[in-house]
Amino acid sequence: MEENQNNSMQVEEQNNACGNEKKKCGCKSFQTILNIVLLAAVVVLFVLHFCSKPAQQQPARRATASTTGGITVGYIDTDSLIAQYDYAVELNDKVQHFAKLDNNYKTKAAKFQEDYNTYLKTGANMTLTEQKKNEESLKKRADELQKLENQLLAEQQKLESVISVEQKKMMDAVYAYIRDYNAKHDNFTVILKKSYSESPVLYMDSTLDITRPIIDGLNEEYRNLKKNDKEKENK
């Protein structure tokens, strides 16, 4: 009788301890989910900014374009630009890397919660040795989850900083290249954007499409920049 009472008291104490771990892990998980939502909002703003930013004021056109009184129009498919511009692809890869870390954390946290709940239901039927073994395992996994969560939060802060800085650099590079390309080649009066979800224009003649040379030119510029940076690092 006395041994059973001691076992019950021991299980109750350990349940409370694990309950505290559960509460701590639950609070942290909620904070992580909130931070992930905020990160998703940053990524959405990044895409919307790219597709919706109004065109910058263009420099004075050559006399031949202004004296005719006509308007020449070109367009760029911004969906293709985002998907094929190396700079944008690299930023997206960073987001996907974070998503993998997040999924790994969620999987481990869900398994921990499942095993913890199982212990709460069956712990009273275990010997003290079995209880201690299970509680040590749960405690170790809780500590590992805490470390993993800290890594996740650090990665999130790093990613938000990268997107904040790199987004502006990328947008400046895109608009500057479009401006320079147009001045050297087509000299369009207006360059529109074509996007599956954002474009207000239902049809555009494909002969006005300058997406390909813009993407190729941007990628060449970006690759050369990275090559130069790498060469400087190796010196």
Side-chain angles (χ1 to χ4, degrees), residues 36-234:
I36 291 169
V37 171
L38 293 175
L39 173 62
V42 171
V43 176
V44 170
L45 288 175
F46 159 68
V47 176
L48 290 179
H49 178 73
F50 186 90
C51 293
S52 303
K53 184 176 179 180
Q56 295 177 348
Q57 184 177 359
Q58 303 297 322
R61 300 297 178 182
R62 293 193 292 265
T64 54
S66 61
T67 55
T68 60
I71 296 178
T72 56
V73 178
Y75 75 86
I76 296 173
D77 187 330
T78 54
D79 293 337
S80 297
L81 184 57
I82 292 174
Q84 299 176 37
Y85 183 22
D86 288 354
Y87 203 162
V89 171
E90 288 183 10
L91 288 180
N92 183 64
D93 287 344
K94 288 182 173 67
V95 174
Q96 294 304 318
H97 173 69
F98 177 84
K100 290 180 181 179
L101 293 177
D102 173 49
N103 289 334
N104 180 44
Y105 170 81
K106 288 180 178 178
T107 299
K108 291 186 176 182
K111 180 60 177 172
F112 172 82
Q113 186 67 59
E114 178 184 351
D115 292 346
Y116 171 77
N117 290 338
T118 299
Y119 174 74
L120 288 181
K121 295 177 182 178
T122 61
N125 298 323
M126 297 179 182
T127 65
L128 290 177
T129 300
E130 291 173 333
Q131 289 177 16
K132 182 177 181 181
K133 182 178 180 180
N134 277 271
E135 288 156 6
E136 288 177 347
S137 176
L138 289 172
K139 178 63 168 60
K140 180 180 179 180
R141 289 167 61 186
D143 291 340
E144 290 174 350
L145 277 174
Q146 181 65 58
K147 292 179 181 178
L148 184 59
E149 183 175 9
N150 291 338
Q151 293 175 0
L152 192 65
L153 293 175
E155 285 290 331
Q156 178 203 348
Q157 293 173 355
K158 179 180 177 181
L159 180 60
E160 288 177 343
S161 177
V162 167
I163 288 182
S164 176
V165 174
E166 297 299 324
Q167 174 192 352
K168 185 178 185 305
K169 289 174 61 177
M170 187 187 75
M171 292 305 306
D172 290 342
V174 169
Y175 281 102
Y177 187 84
I178 292 174
R179 182 184 65 245
D180 293 343
Y181 174 88
N182 188 51
K184 294 175 181 177
H185 296 83
D186 300 301
N187 199 45
F188 289 118
T189 310
V190 178
I191 296 179
L192 303 174
K193 68 171 184 178
K194 179 180 181 239
S195 171
Y196 181 80
S197 59
E198 296 288 331
S199 177
V201 181
L202 299 179
Y203 171 79
M204 294 184 187
D205 191 323
S206 60
T207 60
L208 305 176
D209 187 359
I210 59 171
T211 306
R212 188 73 265 158
I214 293 296
I215 292 175
D216 291 343
L218 282 168
N219 280 334
E220 181 180 5
E221 179 185 54
Y222 184 61
R223 290 165 188 169
N224 287 335
L225 180 63
K226 291 192 68 177
K227 180 180 179 181
N228 293 335
D229 290 342
K230 187 174 182 179
E231 289 176 351
K232 290 179 181 179
E233 291 177 358
N234 293 332

